[in-house]
Amino acid sequence: MRFYPGDPDHQPLGHVGRVPVFAATIFAALYVVGMVVVKIMQTVGVDWTIFIFSTEQFFGHGWLWQPFTCTFVNGPNFFFVFSVIFAYQFGVEYERFFGRRTYLVLNALLLATITLVLGAWHLLGSPGEFHSMYTICIGLIVAYATLYPNLEYLGWVPFKFIAFACIFIDAFNYLGPIIDWHGLSIMLAICAVSFGFTRYKKLGGKMEIPALVRNLNPFRRRPKLRVLPSPENFTPRTFSDSAPGQSVDAILDKIAQKGFSSLTQTERDQLEKAREILNKKRS
């Protein structure tokens, strides 16, 4: 669902036939191209390991391109197809909501996270390597779940539980007789950065302070007591499926005039509620 009809940053870069092409579309295509190229290099005996991220080569030999190419080094297998589909689907939805610049910033942050985590292990005397797009795909799933945590997948499962299950199951891949601490720490860091950045953008570029931390402040302002109306004089508010749509137009006009950052938290919640209602009607 597009909420920004007048903003080119939220629109496709172009079309191939009737298919819109977003930045996420290009990334998904590059994952496929990278897999094919790496397989050809393996077949003809060309050294393809120059494209994986190795801390020894990156820090020791200055191979600075490796953080940008490591996610495109993938092997052909059954789950690769689903990973590309998920990366495309959730990437496009993220790009439509926040815009192309924010989507590209998210991808840059995820690549920087991989570099920093492996760099920290390298400084601790444990060099490592990384490649594949699967961890990036999990990061996009977490980002989408942060954006729409209560969106029902398959009509009954909130998407936040789907994201938690993906993290929990993927963590088992790194366990065994020898625990892959490099891969596990990268995956958890990717999820944390993806959640934190998306939550930050969802709040309009504001940092939220947990209630537990706020309560530790001895100088915080105490809430004032107020008298509530008596029950017989109180008229409860009612909501219907059509009510959010009546005010969404005004919110869209505000976005077109002042940008997404001008929305209040109430307007953002109302926008998300309208989207959830529309998705339920579609399903």
Side-chain angles (χ1 to χ4, degrees), residues 248-268:
V248 166
D249 293 335
I251 297 176
L252 294 179
D253 292 338
K254 184 176 180 181
I255 294 174
Q257 296 175 3
K258 301 181 181 180
F260 182 75
S261 60
S262 64
L263 298 184
T264 63
Q265 185 59 42
T266 302
E267 291 171 335
R268 294 170 189 273

Side-chain angles (χ1 to χ4, degrees), residues 1-15 20-26 92 94-101 103 252 255:
M1 181 177 181
R2 303 179 187 178
F3 289 116
Y4 314 94
D7 190 349
D9 191 48
H10 297 80
Q11 298 301 309
L13 293 167
H15 291 77
V21 177
F22 291 87
T25 311
I26 298 176
V92 167
Y94 195 93
E95 185 176 347
R96 281 176 171 174
F97 192 92
F98 286 121
R100 187 159 40 254
R101 288 187 294 268
Y103 169 76
L252 294 179
I255 294 174

Side-chain angles (χ1 to χ4, degrees), residues 53-148:
F53 178 42
S54 170
T55 56
E56 292 183 337
Q57 295 173 346
F58 180 79
F59 294 106
H61 301 283
W63 291 8
L64 302 181
W65 65 84
Q66 291 186 338
F68 302 99
T69 60
C70 63
T71 58
F72 300 104
V73 180
N74 299 278
N77 57 63
F78 180 79
F79 296 101
F80 174 76
V81 177
F82 293 97
S83 298
V84 172
I85 293 174
F86 291 154
Y88 167 77
Q89 178 182 357
F90 300 131
V92 167
E93 289 295 327
Y94 195 93
E95 185 176 347
R96 281 176 171 174
F97 192 92
F98 286 121
R100 187 159 40 254
R101 288 187 294 268
T102 301
Y103 169 76
L104 294 177
V105 170
L106 174 64
N107 280 273
L109 287 175
L110 298 184
L111 294 180
T113 301
I114 297 172
T115 305
L116 292 175
V117 171
L118 273 185
W121 281 109
H122 185 83
L123 292 176
L124 294 175
S126 178
E129 297 179 349
F130 178 85
H131 67 90
S132 85
M133 60 166 292
Y134 300 115
T135 304
I136 298 295
C137 184
I138 292 179
L140 292 175
I141 292 175
V142 171
Y144 187 80
T146 307
L147 191 59
Y148 304 113

Side-chain angles (χ1 to χ4, degrees), residues 198-230:
T198 304
R199 186 67 179 172
Y200 172 78
K201 297 298 294 185
K202 189 177 180 181
L203 294 175
K206 299 178 181 179
M207 295 294 295
E208 62 175 353
I209 303 176
L212 178 62
V213 176
R214 289 197 301 266
N215 292 335
L216 296 177
N217 181 13
F219 304 103
R220 71 183 186 278
R221 297 181 62 180
R222 303 289 180 175
K224 297 181 179 180
L225 298 178
R226 60 187 181 91
V227 179
L228 297 176
S230 57

